Structures are given as structure tokens and as C-alpha cells.
């Protein structure tokens, strides 16, 4: 794998995470339990799609085949996506959506904090811009996890169930491969395993306040970042996200 | 048990404004979430640099029915408006 091929894979992972999660979160638009949360979730979704334009835009540039961010978002099939499995999982109830959001925000805030000092200044610039948005996302999703976790009997039970369901998808964030090794060697991105300590500190603080127990299970699902095996959910998401470009290829307005 | 979140009034100081202005209201479980909701609902288009929220029940207000005694007497006191003075140019903007 050449350096640019590894960088391309890394950028796809960054961009596909924000694209797929952005799309998932946008599914709540008009359906949230209260108006204020509806607007807040739509804002988060839009931030994530905005970050996607930068990551996938740079990915297309690095690939050098003339593909734009839109081409990469709408003209690839499931096996070409490099997002974490966590972000493609269905929304579930509002609590599960916010738990997934917090787990991702916590990971993303630690990762972007490192990428700000990336040896590639294009990566550093995107990270600097995105980290301001993500600092707000993580504060908001953490507050909601605490509010619902340490809330009523029902909200607590739902949040614990959400954490139990989602936790096996967390391990994938910290499992590196040859792409990560190439990024770490050149100082472009940190070794994923090195993010785990800061992530765990944030998770234990928030889950403690939320009166939720982090599961002990060590097993983790993987295959999203590598593209080896996505869940069945990604294909369904793409049929709706990519519908227009599939039905009317190249349509623009 | 009451399930509705309390109502909060939102005040925002704009980019060039000196004082916070009332922009609307929203529901939130506590003050911190009220500020976050205000940020998400009322500053999406770069409207502000500072947010105040106050729970609506803490605002005391004049009663609409007392409008007459409260405000009408001042209508007849035009001498309270300083419109009878010529301001010398040297005084500049007042």
C-alpha cells in the first residue's frame, strides 16, 4: 500500500463516520420527542454532513481519480464504506440514539484533539474546524445521557439497555491495522489504541454521573473501518440516502 | 406528576447589540439545557454572542388589565420628552 493509498483509506474512515452518522441523526428530523431536541439533532446532523464534505473532499483529492465528495458519498456501495459499525446501527429509541451519539462524540473529540497537530496541515485544518463543533456535541450528548441515565426508572432502564447494546461496537474504534500504522509512522494520525485511555476517562466520568454501568464484556464487533463486513443495516441506509443519485445518476440542481 | 418541562424565556445579545433582547421561549429540564436549547434554536444563523435564560415563572409582569392606570398618565406629560431644547453642535451626539 502506497502512502497516498493509506491516507485515502484514513480519510474515507473519517468522512464515512460523519456521513453515515449524520444521515442516521437526520432521520430524527420532524420525529423527535420535543421541538428543541428536534432542532438540536438536526443541527448536529448538519455539522456532521459539513465535516463530511471536508474529509471526503480531501479523500477525493488524495485519490486523484477526479472523484468529488458527492461522488464518494453517493456512488459507492456498502462494501466500499469505511465507517465504524457503531454509526450505521439503527436509531432505536431516542435514548439509544443519544447514547450512540455520546459514544461517538467522546471518541471523535479525543481523536480530533490529536489530529489538530497532524503532520499533514490539510488534516490539521479540518480537525481544528470540526473540533469546535464536536466540543459542543459531546457536551450536549453527555448532558442528555446523564439526564436520562440519572432520571426516572424507565429512562434509566432504557439508557442502560442502550449502553449494553452499543458497547460491543466501541472496541472497533481502538483496533488498528496497517492503514493506522502507516498514518502513525508519518505523524498524520495517532495509533487508535493510544486514544483509549482518554476515552475511558471521559466515559467513566459521564457514566458515573448517569448512574449507568459500563459492561465488562471484552468482545467487540468489527469490520466497518476495514470494510470487510458491515452490518445488514448499512445497505438499507444507503438505499434511502443514495436513492436520488441511483434513480437519476448525475442529477444536479 | 407533571411531565412537561418548565418554560424558559430566552434573551440574546447580538453581534453589535449592547443589551440582551428577548427573542422567544422554549422548554428545558434545567438551566444548562435551556442555554443549550437556546443556542440550538435561536443562534443557528449567527445571531448572538451571549445568551441569558430565565425560567418564565420567575418573571413578574404588569397585568394587561392595569394598562390604563399604569401607562396612560404618562401620555399627557409631553414635557418629559426633552424635545424643547436646541442641542449645541459642540455637544455632539447625545
Amino acid at each position: 500500500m502506497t502512502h497516498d493509498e493509506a491516507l485515502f483509506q484514513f480519510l474515507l474512515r473519517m468522512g464515512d463516520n460523519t456521513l453515515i452518522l449524520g444521515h442516521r441523526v437526520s432521520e430524527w428530523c420532524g420525529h423527535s420527542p420535543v421541538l428543541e431536541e428536534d432542532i438540536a439533532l438536526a443541527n448536529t446532523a448538519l455539522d456532521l454532513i459539513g465535516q463530511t464534505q471536508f474529509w471526503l473532499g480531501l479523500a477525493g483529492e488524495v485519490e486523484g481519480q477526479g472523484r468529488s465528495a458527492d461522488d464518494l458519498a453517493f456512488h459507492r456501495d456498502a462494501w466500499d464504506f469505511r465507517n465504524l459499525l457503531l454509526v450505521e446501527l439503527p436509531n432505536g429509541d431516542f435514548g439509544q440514539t443519544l447514547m450512540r451519539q455520546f459514544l461517538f462524540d467522546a471518541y471523535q473529540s479525543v481523536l480530533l484533539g490529536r489530529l489538530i497537530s497532524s503532520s499533514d496541515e490539510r488534516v490539521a485544518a479540518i480537525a481544528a474546524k470540526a473540533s469546535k463543533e464536536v466540543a459542543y456535541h459531546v457536551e450536549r450528548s453527555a448532558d442528555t445521557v446523564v439526564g436520562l441515565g440519572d432520571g426516572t426508572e424507565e429512562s434509566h432502564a432504557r439508557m442502560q439497555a442502550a449502553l449494553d447494546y452499543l458497547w460491543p461496537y466501541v472496541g472497533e474504534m481502538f483496533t488498528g491495522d496497517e492503514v493506522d500504522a502507516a498514518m502513525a509512522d508519518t505523524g498524520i494520525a495517532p495509533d487508535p489504541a493510544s486514544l483509549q485511555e482518554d476515552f475511558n476517562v471521559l466515559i467513566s466520568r459521564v457514566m458515573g454521573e448517569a448512574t449507568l454501568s459500563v459492561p465488562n464484556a471484552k468482545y467487540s464487533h468489527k469490520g466497518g473501518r476495514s470494510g470487510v463486513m458491515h452490518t445488514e443495516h448499512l445497505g438499507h441506509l444507503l438505499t434511502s440516502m443514495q436513492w436520488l443519485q441511483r434513480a437519476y445518476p448525475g442529477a444536479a440542481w | 406528576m407533571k411531565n412537561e418541562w418548565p418554560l424558559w424565556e430566552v434573551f440574546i445579545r447580538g453581534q453589535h447589540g449592547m443589551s440582551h433582547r428577548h427573542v422567544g421561549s422554549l422548554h428545558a429540564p434545567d438551566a444548562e439545557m435551556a442555554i443549550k436549547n437556546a443556542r440550538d434554536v435561536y443562534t443557528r444563523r449567527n445571531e448572538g454572542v451571549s445568551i441569558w435564560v430565565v425560567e418564565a415563572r420567575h418573571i413578574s409582569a404588569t397585568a394587561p388589565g392595569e394598562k390604563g392606570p399604569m401607562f396612560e398618565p404618562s401620555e399627557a406629560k409631553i414635557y418629559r420628552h426633552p424635545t424643547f431644547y436646541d442641542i449645541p453642535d459642540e455637544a455632539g451626539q447625545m
Side-chain angles (χ1 to χ4, degrees), chain A residues 34 36-37 39-40 42-43 46-47 136 139-140 143-144 152, chain B residues 1 5 25-28 32-33 35-37 39-41 44:
Chain A
V34 293
E36 290 82 352
E37 293 295 342
I39 296 177
N43 287 349
L46 284 169
D47 285 348
Y136 179 76
E139 205 183 306
R140 185 173 183 104
D143 268 8
T144 312
T152 65
Chain B
M1 193 180 121
W5 289 338
S25 54
L26 47 75
H27 289 91
E32 258 177 57
M33 283 311 289
I35 287 179
K36 289 195 169 71
N37 286 347
R39 181 261 194 199
D40 279 317
V41 175
R44 302 178 77 227

